[in-house]
Amino acid sequence: MFLSTWIKTWSQAFICAFFGAYFFPRVIQRIMRKINFVETPIIEKDFLVRKEDSKN
């Protein structure tokens, strides 16, 4: 009972996530940046450096 329900639910979620990630990557990326609080890195001497680190 549990396994059949889980497989059905997982397959539906996978299909939604796959098509969402395939057709709307920019929108999803913007949403994830807001959720994860991702900082935009700056490039300095071929290294990715955060803004706080480059002030020193």
Side-chain angles (χ1 to χ4, degrees):
M1 177 82 176
F2 171 77
L3 187 60
S4 63
T5 304
W6 183 81
I7 289 174
K8 181 180 178 185
T9 306
W10 181 86
S11 63
Q12 291 171 351
F14 178 79
I15 291 169
C16 291
F18 178 79
F19 283 114
Y22 186 76
F23 290 113
F24 305 110
R26 301 259 185 219
V27 175
I28 293 172
Q29 194 174 35
R30 283 189 218 133
I31 293 169
M32 292 307 295
R33 279 195 183 124
K34 290 181 181 180
I35 292 173
N36 291 329
F37 305 105
V38 175
E39 299 176 10
T40 55
I42 59 171
I43 298 175
E44 182 178 306
K45 298 180 184 177
D46 296 329
F47 294 105
L48 293 176
V49 182
R50 291 190 311 182
K51 290 181 181 177
E52 295 101 25
D53 295 339
S54 63
K55 290 181 182 178
N56 295 333

